[in-house]
Amino acid sequence: SIRSKVLDMLGSKEGDWQSYRIVTGGVRGCHTRADDLKSTGPDLSRIGVCDEVREGSSKSVVLDASSDDEAVLGPIIDAGLDEIIPTIVGAVDDKNAVVICGPKGSPCRAKAKLEEKGYKSLTTLYSCPEKEDGMDKGQAIQMWREQMNTGGDFFPDEVVLCGRNAGGALRDIARMSSYPEVVVVDALAPSEHVSSVHEHFVALWMKHVHESFVFFVPILDATDEQRTSFLYSLNNAPEPAPEFYSE
């Protein structure tokens, strides 16, 4: 048929397309009405219910990425940083941003990308190079206090998160400087930062500040529960619960 040939020219395979017709008013009494009603579309009862994807279909997606694929998926992450953030918060030249990276000296794509954008301020939080249970607690707290003294009355531009979690550091930034409109956790940063920010900061922002903000978290591994769990929290939208989740 003509339809099949056109779809073939467009590179669409069998099963990758759907068709329906919309029947409108004005034909009441037509002898075909009973059958027409059966084919009226779109079928609202099918919204969100997808057909099974056939093996080999161009729609087939396998969620098997990991942190080892960060370089390959880099262009997708960059597109998010380039497009999603300004779409939500607008021009960034008067916005404050915070980026959370891995240990200092490790790759941090998000930091490099945000530095290109011209934010009013960009604060970098580096992960502590040692696990919390492997450090002397008093030493870690002292290290944090010493870092705080380097910024004078304001929060320093760069700190290492020893003796303080990311959510607590963001509270300090809000108290000493200003609430950031953009918070980005780098794709390779430890995932515990995500739950910390969400638990200790996002809810605070939504309660006290009535401005748009972005908490941007690339997810390389679909099994990473700390990066995915905050999506299903009531604190990710002003409504009681989001209407739709997209992966």
Side-chain angles (χ1 to χ4, degrees), residues 98-102 123-127 144 155-161 165-167 169-170 173 193 197:
V98 174
V99 60
I100 304 173
C101 300
T123 303
T124 304
L125 306 180
Y126 291 106
S127 303
W144 180 257
F155 196 91
D157 293 336
E158 295 186 354
V159 297
V160 178
L161 293 171
N165 62 37
L170 282 167
I173 292 172
H193 295 315
V197 172

Side-chain angles (χ1 to χ4, degrees), residues 8-209:
D8 186 58
M9 290 173 61
L10 294 174
S12 179
K13 298 180 181 179
E14 183 70 23
D16 288 352
W17 54 269
Q18 294 178 328
S19 67
Y20 59 84
R21 63 174 175 154
I22 297 177
V23 179
T24 62
V27 292
R28 187 178 297 278
C30 178
H31 71 281
T32 61
R33 180 168 174 75
D35 289 330
D36 288 341
L37 290 175
K38 296 177 183 178
S39 59
T40 298
D43 183 354
L44 299 182
S45 68
R46 295 288 300 169
I47 290 180
V49 181
C50 301
D51 295 333
E52 183 179 352
V53 178
R54 301 177 183 178
E55 185 177 353
S57 169
S58 60
K59 291 184 179 180
S60 179
V61 177
V62 179
L63 299 177
D64 61 353
S66 68
S67 58
D68 294 335
D69 300 305
E70 191 265 352
V72 176
L73 297 175
I76 299 175
I77 298 172
D78 290 347
L81 294 169
D82 290 340
E83 303 295 336
I84 295 176
I85 293 176
T87 297
I88 296 175
V89 302
V92 301
D93 56 347
D94 62 343
K95 302 296 189 301
N96 301 293
V98 174
V99 60
I100 304 173
C101 300
K104 197 167 187 177
S106 62
C108 190
R109 174 185 297 274
K111 175 177 172 62
K113 199 68 178 175
L114 292 178
E115 286 176 336
E116 301 173 356
K117 302 302 179 183
Y119 283 89
K120 179 181 178 182
S121 70
L122 175 60
T123 303
T124 304
L125 306 180
Y126 291 106
S127 303
C128 188
E130 298 183 48
K131 290 291 184 181
E132 188 173 331
D133 55 4
M135 287 190 70
D136 178 82
K137 189 172 183 179
Q139 180 183 0
I141 293 174
Q142 180 62 29
M143 184 185 301
W144 180 257
R145 289 174 177 169
E146 290 175 356
Q147 291 183 101
M148 291 299 98
N149 291 333
T150 63
D153 294 332
F154 298 97
F155 196 91
D157 293 336
E158 295 186 354
V159 297
V160 178
L161 293 171
C162 292
R164 196 71 161 155
N165 62 37
L170 282 167
R171 285 175 177 262
D172 291 339
I173 292 172
R175 176 175 54 84
M176 298 174 65
S177 298
S178 61
Y179 275 85
E181 290 85 1
V182 177
V183 177
V184 178
V185 180
D186 187 70
L188 297 179
S191 297
E192 58 261 27
H193 295 315
V194 177
S195 54
S196 171
V197 172
H198 184 251
E199 180 180 356
H200 297 290
F201 185 73
V202 172
L204 179 72
W205 175 279
M206 297 188 67
K207 183 177 180 180
H208 296 289
V209 182

